[in-house]
Structure formats: structure tokens, C-alpha cells
Amino acid sequence: MGIDFHKDENRKTYATRKADKSWIDAIKELVPIQQISNALDIGCGGGIYSKALTDMGVKSITGVDFSNAILEGAKENCKDYRNITFKQGNALHTELESGCYDFLLERALIHHIGDLQHCFMEAYRLLQDNGYFIIQDRTPEDCLLKGSDSHIRGYFFDLFPKLISKETKRRYSSQYVEEALQQVGFREIQEVKLWEIRRVYDSKEQLLQDLSKRTGRSILHDLEARELKVLINYIDELISIEQNIVEKGRWTIWKAVK
């Protein structure tokens, strides 16, 4: 089944959250963000992290996504941010000018990319000398951590093991990512793990509603409606708290310098 990123009904699926302080702090640890003036957000989705970069002080941001529908959601989400512009484009061939950006973010993108080296070559072309490249994605190990009151995603695979193969096949190992960066010419490669707060729910019911809409969770589009209902009931039974549920996801972040 899978999600169709080009359908208008999905245009807001990646535009409903706000980047958490846990992510902001992690980026500030890796990059001298106060020195960044021109940033590029490839695979920008609904513009959540473009907005965060603006709030962190970046003067100009260009968001790129391959889906016009998703970009429409991003434009609406960022309508009050005059320094953010959006462009439809492919991560392997953006058609943007070379050497214009001092920061490039690719968050939750590379598991959609079949040719990682080509993707990184395009990133290298776009960055200025000494520009920073931040990649954030899950490794297979990140995906298979057990479910808990905070790690809700783990329950998906506990109940539906059939999703494990789909999930792990599209994820790259840390070694593969680092080797691809090195082959392209990136240096000062660093890897960190991050438990990023995805969202804080006022109640368990709010979480279950979010799950029912598959909001920002492409893996849930591989479940039929009846299977999704079973999953929601399963999570409802397992979560032991009723209010102020802090959902976290485990990610790997790679920093590289051109």
C-alpha cells in the first residue's frame, strides 16, 4: 500500500508538529548555528524544521521537496515566515545553484533514496566550502527498539512483524552512510544518537487519534484500516499513563563538513 506523497489529502501530514527543543539543542551542539546565513532543507516536508532553523536565527532558508502537495502544506504552515522559500525538486537533482549554502539539512530523507552516493554528491555540490551537512535518519538498529510508554513506534513492529522487513530494508547502516560521505569528499564526519521528542500529548486519547490519522508516520500506510484499528487497541491496552504522554523517537544524526 504505502503513502502517496502526491495526494492532496496528505499535504498536511508532515506539517502538524513543532520541532522540539531536544532537536534544537542537538543541532546547536553540532553546528555553530549563529554563523549560518543561508540554509537548505532538502526533503523539507511540511516545513517543521525550516521553521525551527529560522527560530534558531538562520537568515534565509530554502525548503525543497519532490511533492507539490506536501509543499502546499509547507507554504501554509510557514506563511508567517518571510525568510523561507520553497521549491519543488529532487534530492538527486535540485537544479539549484552550486556552492550557495553554508548549511544543508536532510532529515528523514535518505531512507527514501536508492542512490545514496548520488544524493550526497548533490549535497556536496550545493554547499559552500566548509559548509555543514546534517543527515538525520534511522538505522536498522534504531527501528527495532522495543515499544514503551514513550517509544510508541516500537509497538508497531511488536504487533506486526511483517513491517520489520519493510522498515529495515529501506534503512542504511551507519557504516554505509559514513563511507558514502567519505567517498564523495566530506570530512570531519561525526555520528550522534538522539532521542528526539516527537510530541507531547495531553491525553492518551489524543495520541490514539493521531495514530488513527497516520499523521507523519509513513510506515502506518502499509497497514490496512482494520489492522490499524487493531494496532490502536493494542497500544491503548499497553500504555499505562493517561495524560502528558511524551513520545520520543530514536534517531541517528551524521554531521559532515565540505
Side-chain angles (χ1 to χ4, degrees), residues 70-200:
I70 294 290
L71 284 176
E72 286 303 310
K75 289 174 184 176
E76 186 174 343
N77 186 29
C78 300
K79 61 186 178 182
D80 296 326
Y81 287 71
R82 297 180 180 272
N83 64 322
I84 302 176
T85 58
F86 293 101
K87 179 186 183 299
Q88 194 275 336
N90 189 299
L92 306 184
H93 186 59
T94 62
E95 299 184 351
L96 294 169
E97 190 174 348
S98 300
C100 289
Y101 304 92
D102 47 10
F103 178 89
L104 197 164
L105 172 66
E106 292 185 350
R107 185 191 180 279
L109 171 71
I110 63 172
H111 65 278
H112 296 297
I113 302 294
D115 186 348
L116 200 58
Q117 189 168 18
H118 192 173
C119 177
F120 289 172
M121 288 173 64
E122 178 71 349
Y124 193 88
R125 181 186 71 81
L126 292 165
L127 281 167
Q128 301 172 3
D129 289 343
N130 300 312
Y132 294 91
F133 186 22
I134 292 289
I135 305 145
Q136 179 178 347
D137 218 295
R138 292 187 172 97
T139 64
E141 293 76 19
D142 294 328
C143 295
L144 300 181
L145 297 171
K146 288 294 183 182
S148 69
D149 284 354
S150 60
H151 186 231
I152 310 300
R153 188 182 181 88
Y155 288 136
F156 305 170
F157 307 101
D158 292 343
L159 185 61
F160 289 105
K162 69 176 184 177
L163 295 176
I164 292 174
S165 176
K166 160 88 175 182
E167 182 73 336
T168 55
K169 281 183 178 178
R170 64 180 186 165
R171 303 290 178 172
Y172 293 102
S173 70
S174 289
Q175 181 179 352
Y176 191 93
V177 173
E178 290 181 17
E179 288 176 353
L181 287 167
Q182 290 170 354
Q183 289 168 5
V184 168
F186 282 102
R187 57 189 172 85
E188 298 182 32
I189 298 166
Q190 180 181 353
E191 176 200 304
V192 298
K193 296 292 186 180
L194 173 66
W195 278 99
E196 181 182 352
I197 295 176
R198 183 183 187 276
R199 184 173 170 183
V200 178

Side-chain angles (χ1 to χ4, degrees), residues 14-15 41 44-52 70 73-74 77-78 84 86:
Y14 292 100
D41 181 3
C44 65
I48 292 169
Y49 293 87
S50 295
K51 287 173 73 172
I70 294 290
N77 186 29
C78 300
I84 302 176
F86 293 101

Side-chain angles (χ1 to χ4, degrees), residues 173-229:
S173 70
S174 289
Q175 181 179 352
Y176 191 93
V177 173
E178 290 181 17
E179 288 176 353
L181 287 167
Q182 290 170 354
Q183 289 168 5
V184 168
F186 282 102
R187 57 189 172 85
E188 298 182 32
I189 298 166
Q190 180 181 353
E191 176 200 304
V192 298
K193 296 292 186 180
L194 173 66
W195 278 99
E196 181 182 352
I197 295 176
R198 183 183 187 276
R199 184 173 170 183
V200 178
Y201 300 92
D202 295 333
S203 65
K204 183 162 63 170
E205 182 59 32
Q206 189 180 49
L207 165 64
L208 299 179
Q209 284 292 327
D210 192 61
L211 290 169
S212 71
K213 297 175 182 177
R214 300 183 170 96
T215 309
R217 307 172 194 266
S218 63
I219 192 68
L220 292 186
H221 287 262
D222 285 275
L223 296 178
E224 297 177 2
R226 62 175 181 82
E227 292 176 314
L228 181 61
K229 187 174 181 180

